[in-house]
Each structure stands twice: as structure tokens, then as C-alpha cells.
């Protein structure tokens, strides 16, 4: 157990140094599974009276289906805390559940296991360890669910000696999660919930350094809404705000997970296209332009103009890349709007 304590300390250091919320959530579950030799796991985040599936991992199903399909099939609608689920019980009580066989839960318990996902995926959830993500103020931020402890390839119960250690790990994870959420809020635009200009500046510098070190291409898309002032003037600022929120959601939905969508200011958005050459940036911009044009907005049609610039073709510094993308955006507006221009 001494070695386990050492590992726990190291994991805690790793978690508290991670500021990106998405990466942190994946890492919490990965480390907890490694620590307990769990074949699978789920990390739920508490949102009001619901638990939202935030991260799902399952080695067996990933081998059979592939990572993306595994995630798609396992992530489902949020769990209501009013249901008698294992995770819901832990979220409400702060208890740890360590069950040897989920299919043998006595009917008089205040929780139950729903086998429908197992049936649908031809999987068997046998042993399970469910732990609250509880911070020092006793706030439960989420639930960590570890599934099927393995010993030489065979499913075994989770060792009860690890319950205290896993609770400690979950407590450290809760603190790291709380801090990352605060950091995440400081980098988010309050209106659209995409990243703000401060975050854009930081990430542009980071991605430029990556480009210089590894030679990976980097593209920048600048986009703004056409005739946005007319929307505000004709329909009011509430309609304008809603249009900005809707466009931001379109950008997030139609961008790759490692693309960085930011609100650059006013009605202008900046999208950092990591490891994307100019041709890829042009394809992306044209797709966004078409999706926005075809979207049904509450107050009427909306179109956007985009400018694309790339490293290494168009610039040698971050500032020059931004200037080049801005010039391309200006050209798109000058040429009639609702179009894409490249530097």
C-alpha cells in the first residue's frame, strides 16, 4: 500500500497542474482506472438534479467497436437524481458503493442497477466501485464509476483496501475540477460560452511555438456576421445576442474537437485550426459559411464572411498571421459578403 500512496500523491500533483477542463476529466478517469485495474469507467458531472455523462471509457468495447463508436453508444441522456441508479445514490449520499456483482443487488436496497446498456452492447457489468467527487466543503461535483476490476484478464471484485485511496483520489480530483472550472470560466465569453479573446491570445502563442518546433501547419479563420448592425437595429439587441449564441453553437458543432473556437470581439469570431493546412482551412470555412446560410434563425436569415490565413505560407509571426486573416476577411466583405477569401 506504500507504493499506492506514492502513486496517489503523484496523481494528485498531475491533476492539480492540469488546467484544461476536458483533458482533466479524461485524466481523472484514466488514472482512477489504472490505479484500480478497472476495465471500464464513467465520470459523471453533477448539474442541478441531474448527472451528465462527461467521460466514458471501456477497453473491451473500444477494441470491438473503436473509440469513437464506443463513446457514442455509451454516452446517453443525463441521469435524474430521483432515479434509483448507483451513481445517483452516491451523488445524493456521498457514500461509496463497492459491489461484487451488480446483478445480485438485493431488492430492498435504495439503489438498483439498470442492465439495459449491458444488454444492448452484449457487455456484463459485474464488479463496480462508485465514488463521489467531493471537495473539502463536502460539495459533490460528480461521480466516478469504475467497472470490472481485472486480475490476469479475469473480472474480480474491487479490493476494499483501495476504497479509502480511491476516495482520496476522487477528493483531489474534485479540487482540481473546481479549480479548472474557475479557470475555464475566466477564459469563456459570457454571452456565447465559447472561449474569449484572452484565451485566443494564449493559445495562438502556444500553437505558434508548436508550429515552429514540429513544423505542423496552422491556419486561422476570422469570421463575422454580415450586416449584424441591421439585426440589432431592426429586431433589437436581444435578437442580436441570440444570433451570436446560435452562430457560436454552429461553430462548436461543426469544428473538430481540437479546433479552438473563440469570440474575438463584437460579432467577430476567430477559429484556430490546429494542424490544418490552407486547403483544409478553406474547406472548413466554406462548410461553416454554408451551414450558417442554411440555418433557420428566429429573426430571419444570417450569413457570414470568413478570411483564412495559414502558416507557413502567409506569415512568420503570430501578429502577421492575424493581420493576414483580417485582410482576407476584409476582402470577403469587400467582394460582396457571404463568402470566403484567402490571403
Amino acid at each position: 500500500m506504500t507504493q499506492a500512496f506514492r502513486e496517489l500523491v503523484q496523481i494528485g500533483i498531475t491533476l492539480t497542474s492540469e488546467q484544461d477542463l476536458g483533458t482533466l476529466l479524461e485524466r481523472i478517469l484514466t488514472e482512477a482506472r489504472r490505479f484500480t485495474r478497472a476495465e471500464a469507467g464513467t465520470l459523471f458531472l453533477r448539474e442541478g438534479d441531474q448527472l451528465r455523462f462527461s467521460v466514458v471509457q471501456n477497453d473491451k468495447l473500444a477494441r470491438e467497436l473503436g473509440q469513437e463508436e464506443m463513446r457514442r453508444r455509451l454516452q446517453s441522456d443525463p441521469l435524474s437524481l430521483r432515479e434509483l441508479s448507483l451513481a445517483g445514490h452516491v451523488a445524493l449520499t456521498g457514500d461509496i458503493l463497492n459491489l461484487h456483482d451488480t446483478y445480485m443487488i438485493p431488492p430492498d436496497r435504495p439503489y438498483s442497477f439498470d442492465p439495459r446498456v449491458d444488454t444492448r452492447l452484449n457487455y456484463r457489468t459485474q464488479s463496480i466501485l462508485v465514488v463521489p467527487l467531493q471537495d473539502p466543503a463536502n460539495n459533490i461535483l460528480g461521480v466516478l464509476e469504475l467497472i470490472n476490476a481485472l486480475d490476469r484478464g479475469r473480472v474480480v471484485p474491487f479490493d476494499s483496501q483501495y476504497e479509502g485511496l480511491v476516495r482520496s483520489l476522487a477528493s483531489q480530483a474534485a479540487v482540481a475540477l473546481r479549480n479548472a472550472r474557475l479557470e475555464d470560466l475566466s477564459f469563456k465569453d459570457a454571452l456565447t460560452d465559447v472561449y474569449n479573446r484572452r484565451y485566443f491570445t494564449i493559445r495562438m502563442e502556444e500553437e505558434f511555438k508548436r508550429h515552429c518546433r514540429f513544423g505542423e501547419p496552422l491556419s486561422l479563420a476570422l469570421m463575422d456576421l454580415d450586416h449584424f448592425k441591421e439585426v440589432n437595429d431592426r429586431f433589437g439587441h436581444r435578437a442580436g445576442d441570440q444570433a451570436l449564441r446560435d452562430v457560436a453553437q454552429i461553430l462548436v458543432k461543426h469544428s473538430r474537437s481540437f479546433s479552438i473556437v473563440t469570440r474575438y470581439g463584437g460579432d467577430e469570431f476567430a477559429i484556430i485550426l490546429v494542424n490544418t493546412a490552407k486547403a483544409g482551412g478553406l474547406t472548413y470555412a466554406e462548410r461553416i459559411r454554408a451551414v450558417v446560410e442554411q440555418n433557420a434563425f428566429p429573426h430571419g436569415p444570417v450569413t457570414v464572411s470568413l478570411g483564412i490565413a495559414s502558416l507557413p505560407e502567409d506569415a512568420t509571426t503570430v501578429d502577421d498571421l492575424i493581420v493576414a486573416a483580417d485582410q482576407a476577411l476584409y476582402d470577403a466583405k469587400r467582394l460582396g459578403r457571404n463568402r470566403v477569401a484567402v490571403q
Side-chain angles (χ1 to χ4, degrees):
M1 295 294 284
T2 304
Q3 178 60 30
F5 275 112
R6 288 201 195 99
E7 285 188 32
L8 183 65
V9 171
Q10 189 56 49
I11 291 169
I13 293 169
T14 303
L15 293 181
T16 52
S17 65
E18 180 56 64
Q19 294 183 330
D20 180 76
L21 188 56
T23 304
L24 172 65
L25 296 173
E26 287 278 356
R27 184 166 288 174
I28 289 169
L29 184 55
T30 299
E31 293 292 354
R33 287 182 52 222
R34 182 178 67 83
F35 201 56
T36 57
R37 299 190 299 277
E39 180 179 59
T42 303
L43 192 154
F44 299 92
L45 288 184
R46 183 170 182 173
E47 295 180 351
D49 62 351
Q50 291 185 323
L51 288 175
R52 178 173 59 82
F53 287 79
S54 182
V55 183
V56 291
Q57 297 174 1
N58 187 307
D59 291 346
K60 181 176 184 291
L61 293 177
R63 287 192 300 269
E64 294 173 359
L65 303 171
Q67 286 286 350
E68 288 302 317
E69 183 64 13
M70 177 272 293
R71 289 194 185 101
R72 189 186 71 80
R73 294 200 192 185
L74 285 176
Q75 285 181 320
S76 60
D77 293 334
L79 296 177
S80 169
L81 293 181
R82 289 187 291 272
E83 297 175 9
L84 296 177
S85 67
L86 304 180
H89 175 79
V90 169
L92 288 172
T93 64
D95 294 339
I96 286 180
L97 291 180
N98 187 354
L99 307 175
H100 294 187
D101 191 339
T102 59
Y103 288 82
M104 300 295 289
I105 299 173
D108 61 342
R109 297 295 164 88
Y111 49 79
S112 63
F113 174 71
D114 186 346
R116 285 178 296 180
V117 175
D118 276 6
T119 302
R120 192 174 77 242
L121 296 175
N122 193 29
Y123 185 77
R124 181 177 172 85
T125 300
Q126 190 166 323
S127 60
I128 194 165
L129 180 60
V130 193
V131 184
L133 294 175
Q134 193 166 20
D135 68 14
N138 292 324
N139 298 307
I140 296 177
L141 308 183
V143 173
L144 193 59
E145 203 171 71
L146 303 170
I147 298 167
N148 288 351
L150 296 178
D151 183 13
R152 292 189 286 275
R154 185 170 56 91
V155 176
V156 297
F158 285 92
D159 191 332
S160 60
Q161 293 186 78
Y162 279 88
E163 290 178 16
L165 290 173
V166 174
R167 185 185 277 279
S168 296
L169 168 61
S171 295
Q172 293 185 71
V175 172
L177 175 58
R178 183 190 61 197
N179 292 342
R181 274 176 160 170
L182 291 172
E183 187 71 16
D184 200 46
L185 284 173
S186 73
F187 285 133
K188 284 293 182 77
D189 174 61
L191 176 65
T192 61
D193 201 39
V194 298
Y195 289 110
N196 58 24
R197 188 162 180 164
R198 177 185 170 214
Y199 188 73
F200 168 81
T201 302
I202 293 170
R203 286 304 301 268
M204 276 299 294
E205 291 293 342
E206 290 177 354
E207 297 306 328
F208 177 72
K209 289 175 184 175
R210 195 194 313 273
H211 162 77
C212 293
R213 184 175 180 185
F214 299 109
E216 294 179 351
L218 178 66
S219 292
L220 174 64
L222 290 184
M223 181 194 89
D224 73 10
L225 280 64
D226 297 327
H227 305 295
F228 182 67
K229 185 176 182 300
E230 292 181 13
V231 175
N232 281 330
D233 290 345
R234 287 184 62 195
F235 303 101
H237 287 280
R238 184 174 295 179
D241 288 349
Q242 187 60 52
L244 289 171
R245 281 192 289 266
D246 290 345
V247 168
Q249 289 175 9
I250 289 171
L251 285 170
V252 171
K253 181 178 179 180
H254 292 276
S255 301
R256 292 184 293 185
S257 60
F258 50 83
S259 295
I260 300 146
V261 177
T262 70
R263 186 181 179 197
Y264 197 60
D267 63 326
E268 192 168 358
F269 294 85
I271 306 95
I272 305 172
L273 302 171
V274 178
N275 198 20
T276 302
K278 180 175 278 191
L282 187 58
T283 300
Y284 166 84
E286 183 54 44
R287 183 172 72 248
I288 293 295
R289 185 205 63 77
V291 170
V292 172
E293 184 180 30
Q294 293 162 13
N295 189 70
F297 292 87
H299 67 275
V302 172
T303 62
V304 293
S305 299
L306 299 99
I308 298 289
S310 305
L311 293 174
E313 301 97 320
D314 303 321
T316 55
T317 68
V318 168
D319 288 344
D320 288 347
L321 182 65
I322 295 171
V323 168
D326 197 46
Q327 180 60 51
L329 174 59
Y330 174 80
D331 290 343
K333 306 286 265 189
R334 180 177 56 82
L335 292 169
R337 295 182 170 82
N338 190 23
R339 66 187 64 226
V340 176
V342 294
Q343 181 56 22

